[in-house]
Amino acid sequence: MATAGKVIKCRAAVAWEPSKPLVMEEIEVAPPQAHEIRIKIVATGVCHTDLYHLFEGKHKDGFPCVLGHEGAGIVESVGSEVTKFNPGDKVIPLFISQCGQCRFCKSPKTNLCEKGWASDRYDVMSESDTRFTCKGKKVLQFMGTSTFSEYTVVNEIAVAKIHPSAPLDKVCLLGCGVATGYGAALNTAKVEPGSTCAVFGLGAVGLAAVMGCKNAGAKRIIAIDINPTKYEKAKVFGATEFVNPKDHNKPISQVLYEMTNGGVDFSLECVGSVAVMRSALESCVKGWGVSVLVGWTDMDDFAARPIQLIAGRTWKGSLFGGFKSKDGVPKLVNEYLEKKLKLDEFVTHNMTLAQVNDAIQLMKTGDCIRSVLSVALQ
């Protein structure tokens, strides 16, 4: 590549401050340093966690930044000591690293990693170090990835090499939303054949959780959302029933209790609301019900009566669907290529990076499942 070793000037959508529209700017992307990879981003999804940082978390030290963490692209160049990636490789940057060396990476019990932004900067949601500058200012790399840019630089412990035939405008969704919901059902909840499940929230993460429940062999999958237009989409992924809490004058947990003779075996909260988390727990059957928190939030405390857990329910959380990132994502790409996993059905809008604010608005109003932005030409 003619650009190797040089600063690249390219287009990116910069979030200069919280709650304001993103601005298309020309930024400078420095060459990769040791153990780093510079990636040309071809496609990116717009995920609710991007909106969370912009409109809810709003941590003052987390701006200016380039958002985006659900992308796919092609290796442009590699830094020194990188041996497993070459220019031209198709890759997915990962917001959870997998160094392979820390105590978490060595444990089969978790997909967490001690390296990278996620170990101690959950509030700011980026490392203090960055390869981006714009107008003489340092611009942070959101979740270590920043896929709302034509080029980005990522540490090799947070990059997955994928099958060369994978369509980047589809498999980008495995960088966050689809892997998160799908794995929450399979890996974290460990949904069992013949079971009854409830999924709260039918965005991309919730629909992926529905798909995970179906692939695990669940008999009843109850999809729950306050937007009735989501039911037809949920059926595509395997939902057997739909409940709109607005149609009932009693708590949703009571509705599910009556529908299921005492509660569901598994529930997954895919909204990021502490009130919905409580409802999801209280919808589980006593004795063995498992409820999983999937929606991302760090804004409020959650609450429940102790008897809910004393009576035998389990309450647990899931990050990136429990997949060890570098190992799991290439396998998910292969499952998609083998038609064992749906991705195309999540994409409701195809747009350009310059339309990113329109895509954000679509997600705010619930009028899309996933918008995929074309970023750089392949």
Side-chain angles (χ1 to χ4, degrees), residues 15 33-34 55 61 113 125 132 156 179 187 213 233 238 251 280 285 292 306 313 326 345 357:
Q33 298 183 11
F55 298 111
D61 296 333
C113 173
M125 299 189 78
F132 291 170
E156 65 176 334
N187 302 327
C213 293
K233 203 71 170 169
V285 69
V292 180
R313 296 175 185 85
K326 282 174 73 82
E345 292 81 356
N357 289 312

Side-chain angles (χ1 to χ4, degrees), residues 18 37 96 109 152 168 183 215 218 221 274 295 303 307 313 316 349:
I37 298 169
I96 293 190
K109 295 177 181 177
T152 189
L168 299 177
N215 287 9
I221 303 168
V274 293
I307 190 66
R313 296 175 185 85
K316 60 205 295 195
H349 296 75

Side-chain angles (χ1 to χ4, degrees), residues 178-198:
V178 174
T180 295
Y182 187 63
L186 290 173
N187 302 327
T188 312
K190 295 185 165 61
V191 169
E192 296 165 2
S195 60
T196 296
C197 302

Side-chain angles (χ1 to χ4, degrees), residues 41 43-53 66-72 92-96 117 125 141-149 152 154 158 171-180 205 296 319-320 329 356 363 370 373 375:
I41 299 293
T44 180
V46 178
C47 172
H48 189 267
T49 309
D50 300 311
L51 277 67
Y52 169 84
H53 185 66
V66 173
L67 295 171
H69 63 283
E70 193 178 79
I92 291 178
L94 307 163
F95 70 86
I96 293 190
W117 71 274
M125 299 189 78
Q141 291 182 239
F142 180 65
M143 295 177 95
T145 53
S146 288
T147 58
F148 294 173
S149 172
T152 189
V154 184
V171 299
C172 61
L173 302 185
L174 294 170
C176 181
V178 174
T180 295
V205 174
W296 177 282
L319 185 62
F320 196 55
V329 167
V356 63
M363 176 156 275
R370 265 299 184 268
L373 311 179
V375 185

Side-chain angles (χ1 to χ4, degrees), residues 364-378:
K364 278 177 90 171
T365 55
D367 290 327
C368 71
I369 303 299
R370 265 299 184 268
S371 297
V372 172
L373 311 179
S374 58
V375 185
L377 293 174
Q378 196 165 336

Side-chain angles (χ1 to χ4, degrees), residues 287-304:
W288 61 73
V290 174
S291 188
V292 180
L293 315 185
V294 192
W296 177 282
T297 184
D298 193 25
M299 299 295 292
D300 304 293
D301 295 341
F302 59 31

